[in-house]
Amino acid sequence: MREVDPKSTSRALAFELWMKAPMPMVTLIKTLDVTSLVRLSRRRGYKFNMLLCWCIGKAAAGMEDFYLLPVGDKLMEYDRLAVNTVVTTRNGGIATCDIPVSTDLEQFHQDYLKFTGQVHESGENFELGEDYMVIGTSALARYEIDGAVNIYAGCYNNPFLIWGKYRKKWLRATLPVSFQFHHTQLDGIPAAEFLERLQREIRQL
């Protein structure tokens, strides 16, 4: 992670406009076709949540905007991405876990099982450190929701995705996903493009 001069990046105007905005977060909601994730999960024994997190990481990794993030009053640049997921702990609580983004599904799968298992047992958050730009996620997998708008605390500007239970109709499965992002990091068009990329990654499975 390193500080960069906003004027030297494509986010110069956005930095000027939105860094001091009282509510700089934007939320887009899109219904995804997740049929291929459901089928692969059943066929190979993968967790559905792991597969979706992997697709999120792959979609983000191909967009340069995801490697920039406003932190405090600075714009920081990263070389690596991670996806964060919420884990139920052994004592019934919850904790969060970072998984490094990988283009290799099996590598991501092994990291996912290792780190989430560690968090489940210890009950403590697992963070990869400041070298990673982290994409937050939260799955309310028992409940059908149409969308969610996350809180804005002013200290956590990372992009964040929330989803609930996928819906089955005939031979298809769909899932509404809420995507929140800081306007300094992304404009509406690249944010919508990210969701399109996510859908393509899912279908390619």
Side-chain angles (χ1 to χ4, degrees), residues 23 25-29 145-152 160 162 178-180:
M23 177 51 199
M25 309 303 285
V26 181
T27 301
L28 299 183
I29 297 173
I145 61 172
D146 294 325
V149 178
N150 203 9
I151 62 169
Y152 173 60
F160 204 97
I162 303 175
S178 171
F179 174 46
Q180 184 187 60

Side-chain angles (χ1 to χ4, degrees), residues 3 6 15 19-20 70-75 157:
E3 182 182 357
F15 186 90
M19 278 301 291
K20 295 183 179 180
V71 178
D73 59 354
K74 300 176 181 178
L75 189 63
N157 296 331

Side-chain angles (χ1 to χ4, degrees), residues 2-205:
R2 55 195 170 274
E3 182 182 357
V4 294
D5 181 357
K7 294 179 181 179
S8 69
T9 73
S10 62
R11 305 307 299 155
L13 180 59
F15 186 90
E16 182 180 342
L17 289 173
W18 305 115
M19 278 301 291
K20 295 183 179 180
M23 177 51 199
M25 309 303 285
V26 181
T27 301
L28 299 183
I29 297 173
K30 181 178 178 65
T31 298
L32 301 171
D33 183 336
V34 294
T35 307
S36 58
L37 295 190
V38 174
R39 290 174 178 170
L40 185 59
S41 174
R42 291 174 177 172
R43 187 168 67 246
R44 298 283 296 275
Y46 291 134
K47 293 180 181 294
F48 176 87
N49 189 67
M50 183 279 294
L51 290 171
L52 185 51
C53 286
W54 182 66
C55 289
I56 288 168
K58 281 199 69 183
M63 300 182 66
E64 63 179 24
D65 287 340
F66 275 88
Y67 294 88
L68 294 171
L69 183 72
V71 178
D73 59 354
K74 300 176 181 178
L75 189 63
M76 309 304 290
E77 185 176 34
Y78 298 78
D79 293 323
R80 294 178 285 186
L81 303 181
V83 177
N84 178 277
T85 188
V86 178
V87 179
T88 302
T89 62
R90 177 178 287 277
N91 64 7
I94 60 172
T96 62
C97 178
D98 292 348
I99 302 104
V101 168
S102 172
T103 57
D104 183 84
L105 175 57
E106 283 304 324
Q107 180 62 58
F108 187 86
H109 181 223
Q110 292 304 315
D111 288 341
Y112 184 95
L113 293 178
K114 175 183 176 180
F115 296 134
T116 58
Q118 175 182 312
V119 170
H120 174 76
E121 292 298 325
S122 70
E124 298 179 357
N125 297 335
F126 174 74
E127 298 179 356
L128 288 168
E130 294 183 350
D131 289 338
Y132 289 82
M133 203 298 295
V134 179
I135 303 166
T137 73
S138 181
L140 305 172
R142 295 183 180 180
Y143 308 97
E144 287 190 3
I145 61 172
D146 294 325
V149 178
N150 203 9
I151 62 169
Y152 173 60
C155 59
Y156 183 80
N157 296 331
N158 300 57
F160 204 97
L161 292 96
I162 303 175
W163 59 85
K165 182 179 180 180
Y166 64 78
R167 302 166 183 183
K168 294 180 287 185
K169 186 176 182 180
W170 300 105
L171 299 177
R172 313 305 297 176
T174 59
L175 179 70
V177 172
S178 171
F179 174 46
Q180 184 187 60
F181 55 93
H182 196 292
H183 211 335
T184 296
Q185 183 181 32
L186 289 164
D187 289 322
I189 291 176
E193 172 61 23
F194 163 70
L195 292 174
E196 289 293 316
R197 285 172 177 253
L198 175 55
Q199 180 65 86
R200 289 196 294 271
E201 292 292 344
I202 291 170
R203 284 183 174 145
Q204 287 172 5
L205 283 176

